[in-house]
Amino acid sequence: MHTKCHNNDLIAGPFCPAPQLAGGNIVDLVTLLGNGLPLDKVGPHLRHAARRAMRSGETRRMLIVARVIVSELLRRGDLIRVAVAGQEDRVSTFVLIRGTHKLLDLSALGPEFRPVLEGQVQENFGEASGDDALVQQDQPSLRDLSSMLVAMEDAQKLDLSDPRSGETGVILDSILRLLEKFTPQFHLRIMLFEGREYHDPAGRVFLQVDDPEMPSWVDLREKAHSVWIPSLRELPAGATRTVAGQESIEKVASGVAVPLFAPQGGAGMTWTSRPEAGLLFVLAADTWSRDTMLRLATRLSRFVTTRWQQHTEVTKRIHIDALTGLYNRAYFEGQLEILLERAKRNNAPLTLVVADIDHFKDVNDTYDHVIGDQVLRMVARRLQEELRRIDHICRLGGEEFALVLPDTGEGAAQEVLQRLLNSPFVEPVSFGGKDLDLRVTFSYGAVTFPQSGSDAFELYRKADTLLFLSKDRGRNQCHFWSSDGNHRQLQPESDGD
C-alpha cells in the first residue's frame, strides 16, 4: 500500500514519515548522541547519521538513530547490560561502556526498546543485526532507515571494474539500478535519442531507433517538455521490457516521461539549455497524481545527469592518457576484447593497427622532453582528425599507439592507412631561438579480423610483429598481415608536403 506524504512531494515507502514513537525528550537524546554513546565504535555511516539527526533537531529522527546505534553497540559487545539494585521489578535501562567505568541511562529510548535491552529480541532473532532486530519493534521507521543507509553506501560506489564502464548504456543502467533501491515502487527506464553513442542495449536503457512503432507523441513533444502517460499503450516497447529480477510490467496506471539532459555544459548552464540525451520514464502500477509524478521524475532525471557526469569524469581519469587525451593501455586491453566479441556476434570485420613514431628518441635527445610532449599532443590531435568518431585511438606508452577500427575490412583499412602515410604530422616549435616545423613519421603494423585471427592477444601479437617488420624495412610504412607470409606493404605516395 502506497501513502502520500503531507507535502505531496516525495512519496511512498522510505520517503514518508512514520507515526510518532514513544521516547525520551530531546535534551536526553542530544546528550546521548553527543556525549554519551561511544560513536567511535560504529561505522562512519552511523556517525554521520547521528550528526545529521542532531542538526535536524527532530526528536523522532534522533530517537530512531539512537536506537539503531545502541542496538549495533549491544550486538558488538561494546555496551554491557547491567542490573541496578532496586530495579528488580522492571527491566534495567542502564548499560556500561566496555573498557570504562561510564554508566549510561538509556531510558530516553523509550519503553518499546526495553525488550532489546533485556536481550529478548536478540535471542529471538539469533545473529540478526541490531537495527534488523529493532525493526520488529518499530517496523516502518527503522527498516526505512536501515535500507536508506544501505542505499546511501551504494550511492558512493562507482562500478569501474567492467571494461565497458565508460559506455553510456552501462553508466545509465548502473544509475537506474541504484535508484531502484530508493524507489522500489516504480519502474525506471531511459530512452536514448538517435545519434547517441550506445551499444548492446540493456533492459533498462534502449535506443529510440530500436522501436519501429514509436508512439507519435515522441516526435510531437517539444524540447524540454514532459509528458503524462495514461496507459501502457502509449509507451515505447523498450520502456515495458522486463528486467531480470523485476516483476513484469503488465499494466501502467500512472507514468511520466521527462527530459534527460546530457552532462555536457559549463557550470553556469541551466538544465533546460543543456542538450537532451533522451527521456527518463517513471512508471507505476498504482495511481499517482500527475504533479507528484512530474516533480519526482524531474528530480530523478537531474540525479541521473549529475551521477552520469561524475561517473564519466572518474572513468576518464582511469582510462584517459593525461598528456594526449587519448585512451590509455588499460582501456585498450579491456576494450579490444569487447570490440572483438561484438564483431564476432555481428559477423562484422575489425582492424587493429599498432603504430610507433619513427626515431622519437632523437626528438627528445636533439630538442628536449617539453618539445617531445608537444609532438605527442600534435600526433594525438592529427590522428583524431583523420579517423572516425567510432574508432578507438589509444596511447599504449611512450611513442607507441594502437588504433582499433570497428566495422572496417582489410580493403577499407588499407585506404585509411594509405591516407595516414600521406598525411603530414608536423608541429611548429621554437628551439635555440629559431622557429621550425618539426615533422615525424609513423611505422605501422595492421591485422584484420577474421582473416588474421580471432583472439585479441593473437591479433595484437601479429600486429606488433608487422610493426617491427615496417621498422626493419626502412620505417614510414605499413605492413598488413597475410596468412601466406606475403604481407601487403604500403608506403607514402608523396612526401606529404
Side-chain angles (χ1 to χ4, degrees):
M1 178 68 68
H2 296 294
T3 306
K4 292 186 178 180
C5 296
H6 62 86
N7 61 7
N8 203 33
D9 189 2
L10 289 175
I11 46 179
F15 298 108
C16 287
Q20 185 64 39
L21 306 176
N25 61 55
I26 190 169
V27 176
D28 292 337
L29 290 171
V30 169
T31 301
L32 193 63
L33 287 173
N35 302 311
L37 294 172
L39 297 181
D40 59 313
K41 304 292 187 182
V42 298
H45 62 290
L46 288 179
R47 294 198 296 271
H48 295 160
R51 286 194 289 269
R52 287 192 295 270
M54 287 188 289
R55 285 198 298 268
S56 73
E58 299 174 8
T59 303
R60 174 184 169 278
R61 184 173 180 178
M62 285 189 284
L63 179 61
I64 293 173
V65 173
R67 287 179 172 181
V68 172
I69 292 175
V70 169
S71 296
E72 176 66 10
L73 291 171
L74 286 169
R75 184 185 68 82
R76 294 163 57 94
D78 293 312
L79 293 182
I80 304 172
R81 302 176 182 88
V82 297
V84 179
Q87 288 195 339
E88 293 84 355
D89 58 334
R90 60 189 182 93
V91 177
S92 172
T93 60
F94 288 91
V95 293
L96 183 70
I97 299 178
R98 179 179 292 277
T100 72
H101 299 289
K102 187 175 181 180
L103 200 64
L104 295 180
D105 183 0
L106 302 181
S107 58
L109 301 185
E112 300 166 330
F113 194 70
R114 289 181 182 176
V116 179
L117 291 175
E118 195 177 29
Q120 295 175 1
V121 175
Q122 192 66 26
E123 291 173 2
N124 291 338
F125 293 93
E127 298 300 321
S129 64
D131 51 343
D132 286 339
L134 281 175
V135 165
Q136 310 304 318
Q137 303 300 315
D138 180 26
Q139 189 172 18
S141 57
L142 291 178
R143 177 176 291 141
D144 294 345
L145 177 62
S146 177
S147 63
M148 287 187 70
L149 288 173
V150 171
M152 287 166 62
E153 289 178 341
D154 289 342
Q156 299 177 49
K157 302 173 183 176
L158 291 176
D159 184 8
L160 302 173
S161 58
D162 189 338
R164 301 187 306 149
S165 61
E167 293 188 8
T168 297
V170 176
I171 294 173
L172 294 178
D173 186 68
S174 68
I175 296 172
L176 293 188
R177 282 189 281 110
L178 168 65
L179 286 175
E180 286 174 354
K181 297 181 180 180
F182 288 93
T183 58
Q185 64 272 40
F186 297 111
H187 295 284
L188 304 178
R189 301 290 186 270
I190 287 176
M191 180 178 73
L192 291 174
F193 291 151
E194 184 177 0
R196 299 297 306 178
E197 184 179 355
Y198 180 54
H199 304 284
D200 300 335
R204 299 171 184 83
V205 184
F206 61 98
L207 283 173
Q208 181 178 352
V209 294
D210 287 344
D211 188 355
E213 299 181 359
M214 188 65 60
S216 60
W217 63 261
V218 174
D219 294 326
L220 297 175
R221 183 191 66 93
E222 296 183 21
K223 181 182 181 298
H225 282 219
S226 301
V227 177
W228 170 257
I229 301 171
S231 72
L232 190 68
R233 294 189 300 274
E234 297 297 326
L235 287 169
T240 60
R241 185 181 302 153
T242 301
V243 178
Q246 287 189 340
E247 296 180 0
S248 62
I249 305 178
E250 297 177 352
K251 68 171 185 174
V252 172
S254 54
V256 294
V258 297
L260 177 66
F261 297 102
Q264 297 92 341
M269 181 173 284
T270 62
W271 282 100
T272 54
S273 63
R274 294 169 181 255
E276 282 190 349
L279 292 174
L280 170 67
F281 292 85
V282 179
L283 313 171
D286 296 324
T287 302
W288 301 85
S289 75
R290 181 180 307 191
D291 291 343
T292 298
M293 288 284 288
L294 287 172
R295 278 200 301 268
L296 174 62
T298 299
R299 295 175 69 173
L300 291 174
S301 175
R302 295 189 177 188
F303 176 89
V304 171
T305 297
T306 302
R307 180 79 173 186
W308 184 3
Q309 183 166 0
Q310 292 170 347
H311 195 125
T312 301
E313 290 173 353
V314 172
T315 302
K316 284 183 177 179
R317 292 181 181 272
I318 295 174
H319 295 305
I320 299 297
D321 175 58
L323 176 64
T324 63
L326 301 177
Y327 293 116
N328 58 21
R329 177 179 285 274
Y331 175 88
F332 166 76
E333 291 176 349
Q335 198 69 15
L336 180 59
E337 295 272 4
I338 294 169
L339 294 173
L340 185 58
E341 183 61 33
R342 190 173 293 155
K344 293 176 182 177
R345 188 167 59 250
N346 298 331
N347 195 26
L350 175 145
T351 293
L352 168 65
V353 182
V354 180
D356 256 9
I357 302 176
D358 295 326
H359 303 295
F360 186 70
K361 183 177 183 299
D362 294 343
V363 174
N364 284 328
D365 292 344
T366 303
Y367 304 98
D368 54 39
H369 288 275
V370 174
I371 290 181
D373 289 348
Q374 189 176 337
V375 170
L376 288 171
R377 286 191 290 267
M378 176 273 296
V379 165
R381 184 177 63 253
R382 291 287 294 114
L383 288 172
Q384 290 172 320
E385 292 170 353
E386 292 292 339
L387 297 179
R388 303 168 300 177
R389 188 170 61 89
I390 66 170
D391 297 329
H392 297 256
I393 310 171
C394 310
R395 183 188 177 202
L396 303 185
E399 68 272 25
E400 185 181 5
F401 297 80
L403 316 176
V404 186
L405 314 179
D407 299 315
T408 306
E410 186 171 328
Q414 289 178 6
E415 293 179 6
V416 172
L417 267 298
Q418 189 66 66
R419 186 174 71 247
L420 289 176
L421 287 167
N422 294 339
S423 299
F425 287 83
V426 180
E427 177 70 4
V429 298
S430 296
F431 182 76
K434 296 180 180 180
D435 294 333
L436 51 96
D437 290 335
L438 185 56
R439 175 176 177 169
V440 295
T441 61
F442 269 100
S443 295
Y444 303 92
V447 293
T448 299
F449 165 82
Q451 298 96 312
S452 304
S454 59
D455 176 74
F457 176 77
E458 177 189 9
L459 291 173
Y460 177 78
R461 179 181 59 80
K462 289 179 177 178
D464 197 47
T465 299
L466 293 176
L467 166 64
F468 280 95
L469 179 62
S470 295
K471 289 183 175 182
D472 290 341
R473 295 193 176 179
R475 293 183 168 85
N476 191 22
Q477 58 187 275
C478 175
H479 280 84
F480 269 82
W481 177 268
S482 176
S483 59
D484 60 8
N486 296 317
H487 308 306
R488 173 72 181 271
Q489 183 187 46
L490 298 179
Q491 292 181 314
E493 295 173 348
S494 66
D495 60 6
D497 292 332

